[in-house]
Each structure stands twice: as C-alpha cells, then as structure tokens.
PDB file of all heavy atoms in Angstrom:
ATOM      1  N   GLY R  24      12.043   3.535  -1.712  1.00 98.00           N
ATOM      2  CA  GLY R  24      12.664   3.846  -2.950  1.00 98.00           C
ATOM      3  C   GLY R  24      11.817   4.126  -4.154  1.00 98.00           C
ATOM      4  O   GLY R  24      12.268   4.435  -5.264  1.00 98.00           O
ATOM      5  N   LEU R  25      10.456   4.069  -3.922  1.00 98.00           N
ATOM      6  CA  LEU R  25       9.516   4.293  -4.970  1.00 98.00           C
ATOM      7  C   LEU R  25       9.202   5.772  -5.164  1.00 98.00           C
ATOM      8  O   LEU R  25       9.257   6.542  -4.195  1.00 98.00           O
ATOM      9  CB  LEU R  25       8.244   3.514  -4.778  1.00 98.00           C
ATOM     10  CG  LEU R  25       8.193   2.049  -5.373  1.00 98.00           C
ATOM     11  CD1 LEU R  25       9.419   1.196  -4.733  1.00 98.00           C
ATOM     12  CD2 LEU R  25       6.945   1.350  -5.180  1.00 98.00           C
ATOM     13  N   PRO R  26       8.620   6.194  -6.254  1.00 98.00           N
ATOM     14  CA  PRO R  26       8.264   7.504  -6.555  1.00 98.00           C
ATOM     15  C   PRO R  26       6.890   7.852  -5.671  1.00 98.00           C
ATOM     16  O   PRO R  26       6.232   6.979  -5.284  1.00 98.00           O
ATOM     17  CB  PRO R  26       7.783   7.606  -7.918  1.00 98.00           C
ATOM     18  CG  PRO R  26       8.466   6.441  -8.599  1.00 98.00           C
ATOM     19  CD  PRO R  26       8.662   5.435  -7.508  1.00 98.00           C
ATOM     20  N   GLU R  27       6.750   9.202  -5.339  1.00 98.00           N
ATOM     21  CA  GLU R  27       5.682   9.605  -4.600  1.00 98.00           C
ATOM     22  C   GLU R  27       4.255   9.131  -5.309  1.00 98.00           C
ATOM     23  O   GLU R  27       4.219   9.193  -6.444  1.00 98.00           O
ATOM     24  CB  GLU R  27       5.636  11.041  -4.381  1.00 98.00           C
ATOM     25  CG  GLU R  27       4.496  11.557  -3.526  1.00 98.00           C
ATOM     26  CD  GLU R  27       4.561  13.199  -3.406  1.00 98.00           C
ATOM     27  OE1 GLU R  27       5.324  13.799  -4.046  1.00 98.00           O
ATOM     28  OE2 GLU R  27       3.734  13.621  -2.574  1.00 98.00           O
ATOM     29  N   GLY R  28       3.317   8.838  -4.446  1.00 97.00           N
ATOM     30  CA  GLY R  28       2.017   8.448  -4.998  1.00 97.00           C
ATOM     31  C   GLY R  28       1.273   7.367  -4.046  1.00 97.00           C
ATOM     32  O   GLY R  28       1.772   6.949  -3.004  1.00 97.00           O
ATOM     33  N   THR R  29       0.016   7.084  -4.533  1.00 97.00           N
ATOM     34  CA  THR R  29      -0.694   6.106  -3.819  1.00 97.00           C
ATOM     35  C   THR R  29      -0.704   4.734  -4.612  1.00 97.00           C
ATOM     36  O   THR R  29      -0.967   4.707  -5.794  1.00 97.00           O
ATOM     37  CB  THR R  29      -2.146   6.505  -3.669  1.00 97.00           C
ATOM     38  OG1 THR R  29      -2.220   7.708  -2.818  1.00 97.00           O
ATOM     39  CG2 THR R  29      -3.067   5.579  -2.846  1.00 97.00           C
ATOM     40  N   TYR R  30      -0.487   3.759  -3.853  1.00 98.00           N
ATOM     41  CA  TYR R  30      -0.261   2.386  -4.547  1.00 98.00           C
ATOM     42  C   TYR R  30      -1.214   1.336  -4.018  1.00 98.00           C
ATOM     43  O   TYR R  30      -1.627   1.388  -2.772  1.00 98.00           O
ATOM     44  CB  TYR R  30       1.247   1.882  -4.233  1.00 98.00           C
ATOM     45  CG  TYR R  30       2.258   2.692  -4.905  1.00 98.00           C
ATOM     46  CD1 TYR R  30       2.647   3.837  -4.409  1.00 98.00           C
ATOM     47  CD2 TYR R  30       2.964   2.240  -6.016  1.00 98.00           C
ATOM     48  CE1 TYR R  30       3.742   4.607  -4.848  1.00 98.00           C
ATOM     49  CE2 TYR R  30       3.931   2.892  -6.620  1.00 98.00           C
ATOM     50  CZ  TYR R  30       4.303   4.090  -6.055  1.00 98.00           C
ATOM     51  OH  TYR R  30       5.379   4.933  -6.657  1.00 98.00           O
ATOM     52  N   CYS R  31      -1.715   0.434  -4.801  1.00 98.00           N
ATOM     53  CA  CYS R  31      -2.461  -0.783  -4.355  1.00 98.00           C
ATOM     54  C   CYS R  31      -1.509  -1.804  -4.010  1.00 98.00           C
ATOM     55  O   CYS R  31      -0.441  -2.134  -4.547  1.00 98.00           O
ATOM     56  CB  CYS R  31      -3.235  -1.219  -5.514  1.00 98.00           C
ATOM     57  SG  CYS R  31      -4.527  -0.024  -6.089  1.00 98.00           S
ATOM     58  N   ASP R  32      -1.791  -2.338  -2.753  1.00 98.00           N
ATOM     59  CA  ASP R  32      -1.188  -3.601  -2.247  1.00 98.00           C
ATOM     60  C   ASP R  32      -1.663  -4.773  -3.127  1.00 98.00           C
ATOM     61  O   ASP R  32      -2.753  -5.021  -3.038  1.00 98.00           O
ATOM     62  CB  ASP R  32      -1.427  -3.830  -0.762  1.00 98.00           C
ATOM     63  CG  ASP R  32      -0.988  -5.237  -0.392  1.00 98.00           C
ATOM     64  OD1 ASP R  32      -0.104  -5.800  -0.849  1.00 98.00           O
ATOM     65  OD2 ASP R  32      -1.718  -5.772   0.504  1.00 98.00           O
ATOM     66  N   VAL R  33      -0.704  -5.444  -3.868  1.00 98.00           N
ATOM     67  CA  VAL R  33      -1.096  -6.409  -4.703  1.00 98.00           C
ATOM     68  C   VAL R  33      -1.279  -7.962  -4.089  1.00 98.00           C
ATOM     69  O   VAL R  33      -1.587  -8.821  -4.712  1.00 98.00           O
ATOM     70  CB  VAL R  33      -0.202  -6.609  -5.949  1.00 98.00           C
ATOM     71  CG1 VAL R  33      -0.110  -5.334  -6.687  1.00 98.00           C
ATOM     72  CG2 VAL R  33       1.276  -7.046  -5.433  1.00 98.00           C
ATOM     73  N   ILE R  34      -1.081  -7.878  -2.753  1.00 98.00           N
ATOM     74  CA  ILE R  34      -1.308  -9.045  -2.027  1.00 98.00           C
ATOM     75  C   ILE R  34      -2.809  -9.185  -1.514  1.00 98.00           C
ATOM     76  O   ILE R  34      -3.408 -10.279  -1.677  1.00 98.00           O
ATOM     77  CB  ILE R  34      -0.265  -9.236  -0.806  1.00 98.00           C
ATOM     78  CG1 ILE R  34       1.139  -9.140  -1.250  1.00 98.00           C
ATOM     79  CG2 ILE R  34      -0.552 -10.528  -0.039  1.00 98.00           C
ATOM     80  CD1 ILE R  34       1.491 -10.241  -2.292  1.00 98.00           C
ATOM     81  N   SER R  35      -3.269  -8.120  -0.996  1.00 98.00           N
ATOM     82  CA  SER R  35      -4.621  -8.183  -0.422  1.00 98.00           C
ATOM     83  C   SER R  35      -5.575  -7.835  -1.523  1.00 98.00           C
ATOM     84  O   SER R  35      -6.915  -8.008  -1.335  1.00 98.00           O
ATOM     85  CB  SER R  35      -4.896  -7.042   0.734  1.00 98.00           C
ATOM     86  OG  SER R  35      -4.458  -5.740   0.189  1.00 98.00           O
ATOM     87  N   GLY R  36      -5.235  -7.326  -2.704  1.00 97.00           N
ATOM     88  CA  GLY R  36      -6.247  -7.061  -3.773  1.00 97.00           C
ATOM     89  C   GLY R  36      -5.571  -6.792  -5.085  1.00 97.00           C
ATOM     90  O   GLY R  36      -4.379  -7.064  -5.236  1.00 97.00           O
ATOM     91  N   ASP R  37      -6.405  -6.043  -5.910  1.00 96.00           N
ATOM     92  CA  ASP R  37      -5.865  -5.667  -7.295  1.00 96.00           C
ATOM     93  C   ASP R  37      -6.031  -4.157  -7.544  1.00 96.00           C
ATOM     94  O   ASP R  37      -6.928  -3.557  -6.817  1.00 96.00           O
ATOM     95  CB  ASP R  37      -6.570  -6.375  -8.366  1.00 96.00           C
ATOM     96  CG  ASP R  37      -6.285  -7.961  -8.242  1.00 96.00           C
ATOM     97  OD1 ASP R  37      -5.138  -8.383  -8.584  1.00 96.00           O
ATOM     98  OD2 ASP R  37      -7.362  -8.682  -7.952  1.00 96.00           O
ATOM     99  N   LYS R  38      -5.398  -3.635  -8.386  1.00 94.00           N
ATOM    100  CA  LYS R  38      -5.655  -2.291  -8.874  1.00 94.00           C
ATOM    101  C   LYS R  38      -6.744  -2.467  -9.981  1.00 94.00           C
ATOM    102  O   LYS R  38      -6.577  -3.140 -10.942  1.00 94.00           O
ATOM    103  CB  LYS R  38      -4.361  -1.757  -9.488  1.00 94.00           C
ATOM    104  CG  LYS R  38      -4.577  -0.377 -10.155  1.00 94.00           C
ATOM    105  CD  LYS R  38      -3.268   0.023 -10.937  1.00 94.00           C
ATOM    106  CE  LYS R  38      -3.513   1.422 -11.661  1.00 94.00           C
ATOM    107  NZ  LYS R  38      -2.372   1.698 -12.501  1.00 94.00           N
ATOM    108  N   HIS R  39      -7.703  -1.437  -9.709  1.00 91.00           N
ATOM    109  CA  HIS R  39      -8.738  -1.325 -10.807  1.00 91.00           C
ATOM    110  C   HIS R  39      -8.822   0.207 -11.209  1.00 91.00           C
ATOM    111  O   HIS R  39      -8.177   0.988 -10.571  1.00 91.00           O
ATOM    112  CB  HIS R  39     -10.072  -1.723 -10.071  1.00 91.00           C
ATOM    113  CG  HIS R  39     -10.132  -3.170  -9.799  1.00 91.00           C
ATOM    114  ND1 HIS R  39     -10.041  -4.238 -10.641  1.00 91.00           N
ATOM    115  CD2 HIS R  39     -10.220  -3.749  -8.596  1.00 91.00           C
ATOM    116  CE1 HIS R  39     -10.113  -5.358 -10.042  1.00 91.00           C
ATOM    117  NE2 HIS R  39     -10.212  -5.017  -8.737  1.00 91.00           N
ATOM    118  N   CYS R  40      -9.633   0.398 -12.201  1.00 86.00           N
ATOM    119  CA  CYS R  40      -9.721   1.861 -12.718  1.00 86.00           C
ATOM    120  C   CYS R  40     -10.291   2.746 -11.682  1.00 86.00           C
ATOM    121  O   CYS R  40      -9.735   3.887 -11.458  1.00 86.00           O
ATOM    122  CB  CYS R  40     -10.677   1.841 -13.811  1.00 86.00           C
ATOM    123  SG  CYS R  40     -10.141   0.908 -15.267  1.00 86.00           S
ATOM    124  N   ALA R  41     -11.059   2.255 -10.796  1.00 80.00           N
ATOM    125  CA  ALA R  41     -11.624   3.106  -9.751  1.00 80.00           C
ATOM    126  C   ALA R  41     -10.849   3.103  -8.422  1.00 80.00           C
ATOM    127  O   ALA R  41     -11.111   3.827  -7.493  1.00 80.00           O
ATOM    128  CB  ALA R  41     -13.058   2.585  -9.299  1.00 80.00           C
ATOM    129  N   GLY R  42      -9.694   2.325  -8.398  1.00 93.00           N
ATOM    130  CA  GLY R  42      -8.922   2.271  -7.209  1.00 93.00           C
ATOM    131  C   GLY R  42      -8.461   0.892  -6.900  1.00 93.00           C
ATOM    132  O   GLY R  42      -8.081   0.074  -7.760  1.00 93.00           O
ATOM    133  N   CYS R  43      -8.297   0.569  -5.577  1.00 96.00           N
ATOM    134  CA  CYS R  43      -7.686  -0.849  -5.085  1.00 96.00           C
ATOM    135  C   CYS R  43      -8.845  -1.617  -4.490  1.00 96.00           C
ATOM    136  O   CYS R  43      -9.616  -1.145  -3.783  1.00 96.00           O
ATOM    137  CB  CYS R  43      -6.620  -0.473  -4.107  1.00 96.00           C
ATOM    138  SG  CYS R  43      -5.446   0.619  -4.601  1.00 96.00           S
ATOM    139  N   SER R  44      -8.823  -2.889  -4.802  1.00 96.00           N
ATOM    140  CA  SER R  44      -9.790  -3.740  -4.127  1.00 96.00           C
ATOM    141  C   SER R  44      -9.216  -4.244  -2.800  1.00 96.00           C
ATOM    142  O   SER R  44     -10.026  -4.801  -2.059  1.00 96.00           O
ATOM    143  CB  SER R  44     -10.157  -4.958  -4.993  1.00 96.00           C
ATOM    144  OG  SER R  44      -8.911  -5.693  -5.197  1.00 96.00           O
ATOM    145  N   GLY R  45      -7.899  -3.968  -2.481  1.00 97.00           N
ATOM    146  CA  GLY R  45      -7.397  -4.316  -1.298  1.00 97.00           C
ATOM    147  C   GLY R  45      -6.836  -3.057  -0.448  1.00 97.00           C
ATOM    148  O   GLY R  45      -7.464  -2.070  -0.707  1.00 97.00           O
ATOM    149  N   LYS R  46      -5.759  -3.141   0.207  1.00 97.00           N
ATOM    150  CA  LYS R  46      -5.160  -2.008   0.821  1.00 97.00           C
ATOM    151  C   LYS R  46      -4.466  -1.023  -0.025  1.00 97.00           C
ATOM    152  O   LYS R  46      -4.078  -1.468  -1.202  1.00 97.00           O
ATOM    153  CB  LYS R  46      -4.062  -2.604   1.810  1.00 97.00           C
ATOM    154  CG  LYS R  46      -4.541  -3.604   2.973  1.00 97.00           C
ATOM    155  CD  LYS R  46      -3.413  -4.172   3.641  1.00 97.00           C
ATOM    156  CE  LYS R  46      -3.815  -5.202   4.749  1.00 97.00           C
ATOM    157  NZ  LYS R  46      -2.609  -5.745   5.444  1.00 97.00           N
ATOM    158  N   GLN R  47      -4.458   0.182   0.369  1.00 97.00           N
ATOM    159  CA  GLN R  47      -3.740   1.251  -0.228  1.00 97.00           C
ATOM    160  C   GLN R  47      -2.645   1.729   0.577  1.00 97.00           C
ATOM    161  O   GLN R  47      -2.796   1.804   1.777  1.00 97.00           O
ATOM    162  CB  GLN R  47      -4.670   2.548  -0.620  1.00 97.00           C
ATOM    163  CG  GLN R  47      -5.776   2.185  -1.589  1.00 97.00           C
ATOM    164  CD  GLN R  47      -6.389   3.451  -1.927  1.00 97.00           C
ATOM    165  OE1 GLN R  47      -6.087   4.640  -1.522  1.00 97.00           O
ATOM    166  NE2 GLN R  47      -7.591   3.410  -2.645  1.00 97.00           N
ATOM    167  N   LEU R  48      -1.486   2.104  -0.069  1.00 97.00           N
ATOM    168  CA  LEU R  48      -0.306   2.639   0.687  1.00 97.00           C
ATOM    169  C   LEU R  48       0.059   3.920  -0.046  1.00 97.00           C
ATOM    170  O   LEU R  48       0.054   3.975  -1.274  1.00 97.00           O
ATOM    171  CB  LEU R  48       0.888   1.599   0.508  1.00 97.00           C
ATOM    172  CG  LEU R  48       0.889   0.366   1.420  1.00 97.00           C
ATOM    173  CD1 LEU R  48       0.973   0.752   2.942  1.00 97.00           C
ATOM    174  CD2 LEU R  48      -0.235  -0.563   1.085  1.00 97.00           C
ATOM    175  N   HIS R  49       0.485   4.964   0.847  1.00 98.00           N
ATOM    176  CA  HIS R  49       0.854   6.306   0.280  1.00 98.00           C
ATOM    177  C   HIS R  49       2.373   6.401   0.391  1.00 98.00           C
ATOM    178  O   HIS R  49       2.932   6.222   1.465  1.00 98.00           O
ATOM    179  CB  HIS R  49       0.048   7.402   0.839  1.00 98.00           C
ATOM    180  CG  HIS R  49       0.567   8.633   0.266  1.00 98.00           C
ATOM    181  ND1 HIS R  49       0.199   9.075  -0.943  1.00 98.00           N
ATOM    182  CD2 HIS R  49       1.359   9.745   0.741  1.00 98.00           C
ATOM    183  CE1 HIS R  49       0.698  10.274  -1.261  1.00 98.00           C
ATOM    184  NE2 HIS R  49       1.464  10.652  -0.159  1.00 98.00           N
ATOM    185  N   VAL R  50       3.151   6.642  -0.593  1.00 98.00           N
ATOM    186  CA  VAL R  50       4.561   6.843  -0.577  1.00 98.00           C
ATOM    187  C   VAL R  50       4.660   8.380  -0.682  1.00 98.00           C
ATOM    188  O   VAL R  50       4.187   8.997  -1.629  1.00 98.00           O
ATOM    189  CB  VAL R  50       5.223   6.207  -1.710  1.00 98.00           C
ATOM    190  CG1 VAL R  50       6.778   6.541  -1.728  1.00 98.00           C
ATOM    191  CG2 VAL R  50       5.083   4.571  -1.684  1.00 98.00           C
ATOM    192  N   ASP R  51       5.496   8.973   0.262  1.00 98.00           N
ATOM    193  CA  ASP R  51       5.666  10.405   0.399  1.00 98.00           C
ATOM    194  C   ASP R  51       6.742  10.873  -0.700  1.00 98.00           C
ATOM    195  O   ASP R  51       7.374  10.007  -1.290  1.00 98.00           O
ATOM    196  CB  ASP R  51       5.832  10.906   1.708  1.00 98.00           C
ATOM    197  CG  ASP R  51       7.171  10.488   2.392  1.00 98.00           C
ATOM    198  OD1 ASP R  51       8.073  10.077   1.613  1.00 98.00           O
ATOM    199  OD2 ASP R  51       7.250  10.423   3.556  1.00 98.00           O
ATOM    200  N   ARG R  52       6.949  12.187  -0.718  1.00 97.00           N
ATOM    201  CA  ARG R  52       7.997  12.700  -1.685  1.00 97.00           C
ATOM    202  C   ARG R  52       9.362  12.195  -1.379  1.00 97.00           C
ATOM    203  O   ARG R  52      10.194  12.288  -2.260  1.00 97.00           O
ATOM    204  CB  ARG R  52       7.974  14.119  -1.650  1.00 97.00           C
ATOM    205  CG  ARG R  52       8.364  14.838  -0.340  1.00 97.00           C
ATOM    206  CD  ARG R  52       8.222  16.399  -0.435  1.00 97.00           C
ATOM    207  NE  ARG R  52       6.879  16.809  -0.710  1.00 97.00           N
ATOM    208  CZ  ARG R  52       6.461  17.975  -1.021  1.00 97.00           C
ATOM    209  NH1 ARG R  52       7.400  18.991  -1.156  1.00 97.00           N
ATOM    210  NH2 ARG R  52       5.238  18.382  -1.252  1.00 97.00           N
ATOM    211  N   GLU R  53       9.639  11.719  -0.078  1.00 98.00           N
ATOM    212  CA  GLU R  53      10.952  11.150   0.204  1.00 98.00           C
ATOM    213  C   GLU R  53      11.042   9.677   0.044  1.00 98.00           C
ATOM    214  O   GLU R  53      12.058   9.011   0.270  1.00 98.00           O
ATOM    215  CB  GLU R  53      11.342  11.465   1.600  1.00 98.00           C
ATOM    216  CG  GLU R  53      11.352  12.981   1.979  1.00 98.00           C
ATOM    217  CD  GLU R  53      11.669  13.228   3.404  1.00 98.00           C
ATOM    218  OE1 GLU R  53      11.567  12.277   4.319  1.00 98.00           O
ATOM    219  OE2 GLU R  53      12.112  14.365   3.730  1.00 98.00           O
ATOM    220  N   GLY R  54       9.913   9.086  -0.486  1.00 98.00           N
ATOM    221  CA  GLY R  54       9.962   7.679  -0.788  1.00 98.00           C
ATOM    222  C   GLY R  54       9.589   6.847   0.315  1.00 98.00           C
ATOM    223  O   GLY R  54       9.721   5.629   0.289  1.00 98.00           O
ATOM    224  N   LYS R  55       9.099   7.375   1.373  1.00 98.00           N
ATOM    225  CA  LYS R  55       8.755   6.636   2.614  1.00 98.00           C
ATOM    226  C   LYS R  55       7.355   6.265   2.688  1.00 98.00           C
ATOM    227  O   LYS R  55       6.447   7.004   2.086  1.00 98.00           O
ATOM    228  CB  LYS R  55       9.205   7.374   3.882  1.00 98.00           C
ATOM    229  CG  LYS R  55      10.590   7.582   3.937  1.00 98.00           C
ATOM    230  CD  LYS R  55      11.075   8.357   5.249  1.00 98.00           C
ATOM    231  CE  LYS R  55      12.523   8.630   5.401  1.00 98.00           C
ATOM    232  NZ  LYS R  55      13.379   7.361   5.279  1.00 98.00           N
ATOM    233  N   ALA R  56       6.906   5.252   3.281  1.00 98.00           N
ATOM    234  CA  ALA R  56       5.571   4.756   3.451  1.00 98.00           C
ATOM    235  C   ALA R  56       5.397   4.151   4.824  1.00 98.00           C
ATOM    236  O   ALA R  56       6.342   3.569   5.239  1.00 98.00           O
ATOM    237  CB  ALA R  56       5.023   3.900   2.369  1.00 98.00           C
ATOM    238  N   HIS R  57       4.186   4.142   5.387  1.00 98.00           N
ATOM    239  CA  HIS R  57       3.849   3.585   6.620  1.00 98.00           C
ATOM    240  C   HIS R  57       3.181   2.215   6.359  1.00 98.00           C
ATOM    241  O   HIS R  57       2.276   2.041   5.641  1.00 98.00           O
ATOM    242  CB  HIS R  57       3.084   4.410   7.491  1.00 98.00           C
ATOM    243  CG  HIS R  57       2.865   3.811   8.864  1.00 98.00           C
ATOM    244  ND1 HIS R  57       1.646   3.112   9.263  1.00 98.00           N
ATOM    245  CD2 HIS R  57       3.540   3.647   9.928  1.00 98.00           C
ATOM    246  CE1 HIS R  57       1.791   2.721  10.408  1.00 98.00           C
ATOM    247  NE2 HIS R  57       2.863   2.998  10.865  1.00 98.00           N
ATOM    248  N   PHE R  58       3.778   1.138   7.075  1.00 98.00           N
ATOM    249  CA  PHE R  58       3.238  -0.153   6.884  1.00 98.00           C
ATOM    250  C   PHE R  58       2.657  -0.773   8.249  1.00 98.00           C
ATOM    251  O   PHE R  58       3.428  -0.591   9.286  1.00 98.00           O
ATOM    252  CB  PHE R  58       4.354  -1.204   6.365  1.00 98.00           C
ATOM    253  CG  PHE R  58       4.681  -0.787   4.883  1.00 98.00           C
ATOM    254  CD1 PHE R  58       5.832   0.243   4.791  1.00 98.00           C
ATOM    255  CD2 PHE R  58       4.009  -1.269   3.826  1.00 98.00           C
ATOM    256  CE1 PHE R  58       6.223   0.487   3.440  1.00 98.00           C
ATOM    257  CE2 PHE R  58       4.508  -0.867   2.515  1.00 98.00           C
ATOM    258  CZ  PHE R  58       5.518  -0.044   2.431  1.00 98.00           C
ATOM    259  N   TYR R  59       1.498  -1.224   8.251  1.00 98.00           N
ATOM    260  CA  TYR R  59       0.937  -1.863   9.386  1.00 98.00           C
ATOM    261  C   TYR R  59       0.517  -3.334   9.010  1.00 98.00           C
ATOM    262  O   TYR R  59      -0.274  -3.517   8.116  1.00 98.00           O
ATOM    263  CB  TYR R  59      -0.223  -1.102   9.985  1.00 98.00           C
ATOM    264  CG  TYR R  59      -0.775  -1.709  11.227  1.00 98.00           C
ATOM    265  CD1 TYR R  59      -0.325  -1.280  12.527  1.00 98.00           C
ATOM    266  CD2 TYR R  59      -1.757  -2.693  11.157  1.00 98.00           C
ATOM    267  CE1 TYR R  59      -0.799  -1.828  13.671  1.00 98.00           C
ATOM    268  CE2 TYR R  59      -2.355  -3.184  12.267  1.00 98.00           C
ATOM    269  CZ  TYR R  59      -1.823  -2.847  13.540  1.00 98.00           C
ATOM    270  OH  TYR R  59      -2.322  -3.394  14.708  1.00 98.00           O
ATOM    271  N   ILE R  60       1.071  -4.394   9.580  1.00 98.00           N
ATOM    272  CA  ILE R  60       0.758  -5.704   9.273  1.00 98.00           C
ATOM    273  C   ILE R  60       0.646  -6.508  10.582  1.00 98.00           C
ATOM    274  O   ILE R  60       1.532  -6.694  11.304  1.00 98.00           O
ATOM    275  CB  ILE R  60       1.773  -6.343   8.406  1.00 98.00           C
ATOM    276  CG1 ILE R  60       2.058  -5.675   7.162  1.00 98.00           C
ATOM    277  CG2 ILE R  60       1.310  -7.838   8.024  1.00 98.00           C
ATOM    278  CD1 ILE R  60       3.203  -6.206   6.261  1.00 98.00           C
ATOM    279  N   SER R  61      -0.506  -7.005  10.858  1.00 96.00           N
ATOM    280  CA  SER R  61      -0.635  -7.772  12.070  1.00 96.00           C
ATOM    281  C   SER R  61      -0.170  -9.146  11.926  1.00 96.00           C
ATOM    282  O   SER R  61      -0.202  -9.685  10.750  1.00 96.00           O
ATOM    283  CB  SER R  61      -2.346  -7.772  12.361  1.00 96.00           C
ATOM    284  OG  SER R  61      -2.549  -8.952  13.403  1.00 96.00           O
ATOM    285  N   GLY R  62       0.440  -9.703  13.020  1.00 91.00           N
ATOM    286  CA  GLY R  62       0.791 -11.043  12.854  1.00 91.00           C
ATOM    287  C   GLY R  62      -0.218 -12.108  12.712  1.00 91.00           C
ATOM    288  O   GLY R  62       0.081 -13.239  12.492  1.00 91.00           O
ATOM    289  N   GLU R  63      -1.468 -11.690  12.853  1.00 92.00           N
ATOM    290  CA  GLU R  63      -2.620 -12.570  12.708  1.00 92.00           C
ATOM    291  C   GLU R  63      -3.235 -12.473  11.327  1.00 92.00           C
ATOM    292  O   GLU R  63      -4.270 -13.067  11.042  1.00 92.00           O
ATOM    293  CB  GLU R  63      -3.717 -12.309  13.904  1.00 92.00           C
ATOM    294  CG  GLU R  63      -3.115 -12.607  15.220  1.00 92.00           C
ATOM    295  CD  GLU R  63      -4.042 -12.345  16.282  1.00 92.00           C
ATOM    296  OE1 GLU R  63      -5.174 -11.683  15.986  1.00 92.00           O
ATOM    297  OE2 GLU R  63      -3.772 -12.609  17.458  1.00 92.00           O
ATOM    298  N   ASP R  64      -2.765 -11.550  10.539  1.00 95.00           N
ATOM    299  CA  ASP R  64      -3.424 -11.351   9.118  1.00 95.00           C
ATOM    300  C   ASP R  64      -3.345 -12.685   8.300  1.00 95.00           C
ATOM    301  O   ASP R  64      -2.377 -13.416   8.482  1.00 95.00           O
ATOM    302  CB  ASP R  64      -2.532 -10.362   8.341  1.00 95.00           C
ATOM    303  CG  ASP R  64      -3.059  -8.905   8.845  1.00 95.00           C
ATOM    304  OD1 ASP R  64      -3.895  -8.693   9.674  1.00 95.00           O
ATOM    305  OD2 ASP R  64      -2.366  -7.954   8.370  1.00 95.00           O
ATOM    306  N   GLU R  65      -4.244 -12.871   7.571  1.00 94.00           N
ATOM    307  CA  GLU R  65      -4.297 -14.161   6.720  1.00 94.00           C
ATOM    308  C   GLU R  65      -3.056 -14.121   5.839  1.00 94.00           C
ATOM    309  O   GLU R  65      -2.493 -15.172   5.671  1.00 94.00           O
ATOM    310  CB  GLU R  65      -5.567 -14.054   5.951  1.00 94.00           C
ATOM    311  CG  GLU R  65      -5.647 -15.306   5.012  1.00 94.00           C
ATOM    312  CD  GLU R  65      -6.845 -15.285   3.966  1.00 94.00           C
ATOM    313  OE1 GLU R  65      -7.750 -14.377   4.256  1.00 94.00           O
ATOM    314  OE2 GLU R  65      -6.896 -16.191   3.173  1.00 94.00           O
ATOM    315  N   ASP R  66      -2.749 -13.032   5.315  1.00 96.00           N
ATOM    316  CA  ASP R  66      -1.594 -12.913   4.482  1.00 96.00           C
ATOM    317  C   ASP R  66      -0.671 -11.675   5.110  1.00 96.00           C
ATOM    318  O   ASP R  66      -0.797 -10.608   4.714  1.00 96.00           O
ATOM    319  CB  ASP R  66      -1.891 -12.528   3.013  1.00 96.00           C
ATOM    320  CG  ASP R  66      -2.622 -13.673   2.352  1.00 96.00           C
ATOM    321  OD1 ASP R  66      -2.236 -14.844   2.557  1.00 96.00           O
ATOM    322  OD2 ASP R  66      -3.693 -13.409   1.563  1.00 96.00           O
TER     323      ASP R  66
END
C-alpha cells in the first residue's frame, strides 16, 4: 500500500543520509515488495 521507492527496514537498522544501516526494501509502482525473513533471524 506504500508509494514506489526504496525503504529502510527500521527493525534491522536506521535510515541515514547515505542510505540504510540495515536491510533495504524496494516497493514497485504497484505498491508491492518482496520480503524474505528466516525463522532463525535474531529479529
């Protein structure tokens, strides 16, 4: 449901001027994004 663009995951890191300290997610023009989360991830 979000606008197209690249987003910082705020769980694994923070947004900085130069980018993300954690994971990045890309939302396409249809508002869709691909998510991969292992069941063994710390978070």
Side-chain angles (χ1 to χ4, degrees):
L25 272 61
E27 181 181 8
T29 301
Y30 293 78
C31 297
D32 166 35
V33 298
I34 303 306
S35 59
D37 296 293
K38 174 188 171 184
H39 298 294
C40 294
C43 309
S44 63
K46 299 175 184 177
Q47 289 186 12
L48 284 298
H49 181 73
V50 175
D51 66 22
R52 66 181 61 186
E53 295 180 346
K55 296 183 184 298
H57 184 258
F58 296 88
Y59 182 91
I60 307 174
S61 169
E63 297 179 354
D64 285 351
E65 179 183 353
D66 297 316

